[in-house]
Structure formats: C-alpha cells, structure tokens
Amino acid sequence: IDSLEKAGHGAVSKLPVSIKILLEAALRQLDAFSITQDDVQRIAAGLLAFVGVYHVFDALQVVAVNAVRAYERTAVPMAIYVVALWGVALGGGYVLGIAGVDAFGSPVAPMGAKGFWLAAVGGMVLTAVLVTVYFLRVSRAAAPFDPRARSAAA
C-alpha cells in the first residue's frame, strides 16, 4: 500500500483501516493474469458512486440527529438506527451481497460488494429520511423560543 502512495496514487495511508484491508487483499491477488490493475480500478470506480450517495445522506442524518439530541430525544433515533442500519443496511448487505436472494425470496446471483453498498445506501437513505422527519415533528411540537423568558431568569 505504501508503494501506491509513493507512485502518486493519492493519500492511501489516510484511508480507513477497513478500506486499506480490502485494498491490500485485492492487491495481493493482483497477478497480472487473472486479476489485473485495471480490474481493481474498475471495481473501485464502480463503488465510488455508492460511496458518494451514502455520504450525502450520512451528512443529512448527522445534522438531523444532533438537532434532535438538542431536544433531549434519543430513544426514537436509536430505534431508527437499529432498524435502518442494522436491519436494512447490514441484513440487506448480507442478503444482496452474499446470500443472493431477491425481493420475493427467490435465489439470484450474489451481487458481492455492490450488494453490500446498495443495502448500505438504502439503509442510510431510510435513516436520513426518518430522522429528519422525526426532527421536524419534534421541533414543531416544541414551545417557541421566548427571549424575554431567558432574560427574566438571569
């Protein structure tokens, strides 16, 4: 992996450990016959779109959940995370990526890494939507801010 950075392929050392492990595993299989550098680049390029969409919705849910925490509400976001991230994203990743089952329970070819990322994006979109909707509900139900009440307490 260090040789990639020295060859000018970017700050590989700053990648998350999980990505470096996957990259190292792919590079160790790089023998120029069955797996070439073009194969590794093609696979990585195909996953970048998933990563981009994932991060947009991740940013949205982070903002929304922290706003909800300001209202001291944590149980509903935790339940949303359990269902959407552990259920849809992780469970769906297993089903799509490894088990190879379609929406009707019929066996299909496993999608591999794309299946995992597709489920992760689906879970993150669901998380962002539900947490944002919950934030809008909580913020509308909260009492409006009265600056006079704050100055009277001081």
Side-chain angles (χ1 to χ4, degrees):
I1 290 185
D2 294 333
S3 62
L4 288 174
E5 203 164 301
K6 290 176 185 171
H9 291 288
V12 178
S13 61
K14 296 187 190 271
L15 289 171
V17 173
S18 59
I19 300 297
K20 286 196 271 190
I21 290 170
L22 293 173
L23 182 60
E24 180 72 26
L27 290 173
R28 286 179 186 255
Q29 298 300 319
L30 181 69
D31 60 6
F33 295 108
S34 59
I35 298 177
T36 65
Q37 183 174 352
D38 290 338
D39 293 330
V40 174
Q41 288 177 345
R42 183 180 41 78
I43 291 168
L47 298 176
L48 282 177
F50 289 113
V51 174
V53 172
Y54 180 91
H55 282 291
V56 168
F57 286 96
D58 183 43
L60 175 64
Q61 70 87 19
V62 165
V63 171
V65 80
N66 283 297
V68 168
R69 284 184 190 151
Y71 288 102
E72 299 179 355
R73 307 288 175 90
T74 57
V76 171
M78 182 185 66
I80 291 170
Y81 282 2
V82 167
V83 171
L85 297 180
W86 286 92
V88 173
L90 191 59
Y94 172 77
V95 168
L96 293 175
I98 296 174
V101 178
D102 68 8
F104 304 106
S106 302
V108 295
M111 296 174 68
K114 287 188 178 183
F116 274 101
W117 274 104
L118 182 62
V121 169
M124 187 54 68
V125 168
L126 181 62
T127 301
V129 168
L130 292 177
V131 171
T132 302
V133 167
Y134 182 65
F135 163 69
L136 293 172
R137 182 173 168 246
V138 167
S139 64
R140 285 191 185 118
F145 178 70
D146 184 3
R148 292 175 290 162
R150 187 170 187 108
S151 63

